Amino acid sequence: MWIEIDAHISQVTGEKFHSSQRLSVSGGCINQGYALTDGKITYFVKLNQASHGEMFAAEMLGLQQMHNTNTIRVPQPLCWGTTANSSYIVLEWLEMADGNSKSWQKMGRNLAAMHKISSNQGFGWNMNNTIGSTPQINTWKSDWIEFYIQHRLSYQFQLAKQKGGKFALQDQLLAAIPKILANYQVQPSLVHGDLWGGNAGFTVDGEPVIFDPATYFGDREVDIAMTELFGGFPPSFYQGYQEIFPLDQGYEKRKTLYNLYHVLNHFNLFGGGYASQANQMIERILQSV
């Protein structure tokens, strides 16, 4: 496998690469990660089963699309592929460090600049991808409400039913979404799609970096809402974002609706108490209608 990956790197870069060391590093919740080096240059390699090749293909496309905006830094992807037993993606290696108030503010500004990148095709993306290891459907829709109901919440509810999840107010919630999002003009924005604290960081020079995307064109608020879901980002991040692209009135009511998608996905991935959390969120959303 490593011989094939070395050969692929050599082919893409045009420089002979022969890895002399492969160090296990964190690759996220669902992948194995390795620092691959020949003593002169290091790459980050993520591995999974061979059947997950399309997941890495989508990740590479998403990273490349975000990289091409020249707004916020991402690990530049080199290549992806499959071997007999594994799939892999090779990325630029970045030395990471903690951020400070100034660097978090810059991350907010840079993300806001990326969110200004739009699409004339509407809401969706050119291929389906994954949120964690869950399929994420990105078929283009001209209407955001239809997209969010059909491709986000309804799909997660269907998966949850197969896993024994019980959401008594599911139908009532889905019926209320057009009212919740009424009089709110949504422009398609290029979003990261899975923007929690574990998918954001800083280089040793303080440059903000986002990674492990679930990219598509959607309401920019889905990214901002998720930054608040698992501990939240520092206040300076939101200050920086608001300087460049102020949030619209009503965000505080919409963010719970958008974060419900991720909590349902966590139930589908991990089970446990996420069903109870999702039901509490559904009740809170309906009480606000």
Side-chain angles (χ1 to χ4, degrees):
M1 175 187 70
W2 294 113
I3 293 174
E4 293 183 53
I5 294 175
D6 287 354
H8 200 170
I9 293 172
S10 300
Q11 177 188 357
V12 170
T13 62
E15 299 286 340
K16 183 65 177 176
F17 180 82
H18 176 70
S19 57
S20 57
Q21 195 172 30
R22 304 157 193 129
L23 298 176
S24 179
V25 295
S26 174
C29 298
I30 61 173
N31 302 301
Q32 296 173 279
Y34 289 89
L36 198 66
T37 184
D38 65 355
K40 294 181 292 184
I41 188 168
T42 303
Y43 297 104
F44 179 48
V45 178
K46 290 197 288 187
L47 301 178
N48 211 306
Q49 299 173 350
S51 59
H52 285 67
E54 288 301 307
M55 175 182 71
F56 287 143
E59 180 176 355
M60 181 160 175
L61 180 63
L63 287 170
Q64 194 63 58
Q65 189 165 20
M66 290 192 291
H67 173 79
N68 291 345
T69 67
N70 295 312
T71 56
I72 191 166
R73 188 162 185 181
V74 299
Q76 191 165 1
L78 271 77
C79 57
W80 74 275
T82 58
T83 66
N85 300 312
S86 300
S87 58
Y88 62 87
I89 185 170
V90 181
L91 309 172
E92 171 189 18
W93 176 266
L94 296 173
E95 292 289 344
M96 305 297 285
D98 293 333
N100 55 30
S101 178
K102 185 177 180 180
S103 55
W104 276 107
Q105 186 176 21
K106 185 176 180 181
M107 179 177 284
R109 291 177 181 141
N110 292 357
L111 181 69
M114 189 184 85
H115 282 168
K116 291 190 175 185
I117 305 299
S118 192
S119 169
N120 58 15
Q121 292 179 263
F123 302 95
W125 206 43
N126 287 333
M127 66 185 296
N128 295 334
N129 51 15
T130 54
I131 181 77
S133 58
T134 306
Q136 182 168 263
I137 310 302
N138 294 320
T139 307
W140 291 102
K141 297 280 186 183
S142 59
D143 182 75
W144 170 245
I145 294 175
E146 182 183 358
F147 179 92
Y148 193 69
I149 291 173
Q150 182 177 338
H151 294 333
R152 294 296 179 260
L153 291 188
S154 290
Y155 184 72
Q156 290 286 348
F157 278 130
Q158 291 168 20
L159 296 178
K161 184 177 181 180
Q162 297 170 15
K163 295 179 180 291
K166 299 185 185 303
F167 304 96
L169 299 176
Q170 167 188 329
D171 292 340
Q172 188 176 338
L173 171 76
L174 294 175
I177 290 176
K179 184 176 180 181
I180 296 169
L181 298 180
N183 303 317
Y184 171 51
Q185 299 298 317
V186 183
Q187 297 297 318
S189 291
L190 181 64
V191 298
H192 177 282
D194 194 12
L195 193 57
W196 66 290
N199 288 341
F202 304 91
T203 68
V204 292
D205 297 325
E207 182 73 13
V209 184
I210 56 177
F211 39 87
D212 291 345
T215 314
Y216 65 100
F217 284 91
D219 184 354
R220 65 194 175 107
E221 289 184 357
V222 300
D223 274 352
I224 303 303
M226 195 181 188
T227 66
E228 298 192 56
L229 185 55
F230 299 116
F233 285 17
S236 56
F237 165 82
Y238 303 101
Q239 178 186 344
Y241 188 93
Q242 294 275 42
E243 288 174 6
I244 305 300
F245 202 174
L247 292 171
D248 295 314
Q249 186 176 2
Y251 161 73
E252 289 297 326
K253 291 179 64 174
R254 292 186 291 272
K255 73 178 182 182
T256 306
L257 176 66
Y258 289 158
N259 280 339
L260 177 61
Y261 172 63
H262 297 291
V263 173
L264 287 171
N265 186 50
H266 273 62
F267 170 75
N268 287 321
L269 290 172
F270 310 116
Y274 289 110
S276 175
Q277 184 180 356
N279 276 313
Q280 292 172 9
M281 293 172 76
I282 292 169
E283 291 178 8
R284 193 158 69 247
I285 293 165
L286 289 173
Q287 288 170 0
S288 70
V289 177

